[in-house]
Amino acid sequence: MLTIITPMVGEDLYQTSSENSFPKILNEIDGKTIFEYSQCYLKSIEDNYNKIYIRPNFSNQQYMIDNIIQRIVGEDAILINVNNNTAGALCTCLLAAEYWDDDDELIITSSDQYLDINCQSVINEFRESNTDIGLISFSSVHPKWSYIKRDDSNSIIEVVEKKAISDEAMASFFYFNKASLFFKLAKSALLKSRSTNNIFYLSACVNEAILDGGVVSAKIIENKEYYNFYDFNAINRFS
């Protein structure tokens, strides 16, 4: 079975402004919320999969976000409540451990990005190449992204947060061929304190896999196939 986790705890998702009284994630473009755009590419998945959404308690109290999630992705969505901030996406996703089986394939994605891809084709490519961890990358040098470093044979040897060590940036998409692998790598990253500015990013799992000899690959997409709604200006540009 495939399990897809969407962590929705980050404070930036719920930012408001003088011009926008609703949080960023609920802002609309052409009648669709940012959250709806983030879920569009999942419609191309043909396999059956479990859907897990981890959101802060206040977002449901103030905006009834659980109802919104279920209207968009279905009543079968698993909703996990978080009362306080976590130490990063890696920690947030571990809260879903009771809802996956060890042999499940696992995808961790984002609720404020738009991917114009066939997700099923990407998953199939990772399966066919016996990939342990699969990433999606695009061309950029802006410090807001995470970056992939390759060696002379084009193998991925490191990923780095918020530092353009290459021109290959990472989208917020992480495929693990087994949920047990993610759990093992996340635990290792935590025990080794592999944080960046006291935040545990999912990239720490990728580096742990590389150190362990795991197969890490990236599907490179065109820049026009990826968009991140990182702030209200980005939302306005997309519209």
Side-chain angles (χ1 to χ4, degrees):
M1 177 67 81
L2 174 65
T3 294
I4 300 177
I5 301 175
T6 305
M8 302 171 62
V9 177
E11 291 182 357
D12 61 312
L13 297 176
Y14 305 98
Q15 289 177 346
T16 59
S17 71
S18 58
E19 298 177 355
N20 299 275
S21 58
F22 283 95
K24 184 184 77 170
I25 197 172
L26 296 182
N27 267 246
E28 290 184 314
I29 302 171
D30 294 334
K32 283 185 179 181
T33 62
I34 299 306
F35 177 72
E36 286 177 88
Y37 280 103
S38 76
Q39 302 299 293
C40 284
Y41 79 103
L42 300 180
K43 295 177 182 177
S44 62
I45 298 178
E46 300 167 4
D47 297 341
N48 293 324
Y49 62 93
N50 296 319
K51 304 178 284 284
I52 301 176
Y53 298 86
I54 309 173
R55 85 299 182 273
N57 185 46
F58 79 85
S59 68
N60 196 45
Q61 292 179 337
Q62 294 183 28
Y63 307 110
M64 302 298 290
I65 204 161
D66 286 2
N67 289 343
I68 295 169
I69 292 171
Q70 290 179 323
R71 295 290 77 73
I72 295 168
V73 305
E75 298 283 347
D76 58 339
I78 297 170
L79 305 169
I80 298 177
N81 179 64
V82 178
N83 288 319
N84 300 302
N85 289 334
T86 69
L90 184 153
C91 300
T92 301
C93 292
L94 287 173
L95 298 174
E98 65 179 289
Y99 297 102
W100 70 55
D101 292 327
D102 284 348
D103 289 334
D104 282 357
E105 291 174 285
L106 190 65
I107 290 175
I108 300 174
T109 186
S110 169
S111 60
D112 64 347
Q113 67 181 4
Y114 176 68
L115 283 163
D116 187 15
I117 62 170
N118 186 308
C119 192
Q120 186 66 59
S121 295
V122 173
I123 294 169
N124 291 343
E125 285 186 34
F126 291 148
R127 289 170 176 167
E128 291 164 6
S129 60
N130 294 315
T131 292
D132 294 313
I133 297 181
L135 310 170
I136 291 178
S137 64
F138 60 97
S139 178
S140 182
V141 292
H142 197 286
K144 62 176 170 280
W145 309 124
S146 307
Y147 284 87
I148 290 172
K149 182 178 182 180
R150 296 178 183 266
D151 62 16
D152 292 338
S153 64
N154 207 39
S155 297
I156 296 173
I157 57 173
E158 186 182 12
V159 296
V160 176
E161 288 291 335
K162 312 302 181 283
K163 183 179 179 182
I165 58 171
S166 70
D167 60 359
E168 187 177 0
M170 294 164 51
S172 295
F173 180 101
F174 298 82
Y175 165 90
F176 297 86
N177 68 347
K178 290 184 182 296
S180 58
L181 174 63
F182 167 66
F183 189 83
K184 170 189 170 184
L185 297 172
K187 184 171 67 173
S188 178
L190 289 170
L191 290 173
K192 295 177 183 178
S193 298
R194 303 289 196 194
S195 63
T196 302
N197 297 324
N198 296 318
I199 298 173
F200 287 94
Y201 292 96
L202 292 164
S203 57
C205 291
V206 182
N207 286 327
E208 288 301 301
I210 293 169
L211 291 172
D212 203 32
V215 178
V216 179
S217 62
K219 170 69 173 178
I220 301 174
I221 63 174
E222 299 291 331
N223 283 45
K224 65 182 180 181
E225 296 175 299
Y226 177 72
Y227 197 85
N228 190 287
F229 303 101
Y230 52 86
D231 60 20
F232 285 110
N233 289 327
I235 293 172
N236 293 332
R237 285 195 296 272
F238 186 81
S239 63

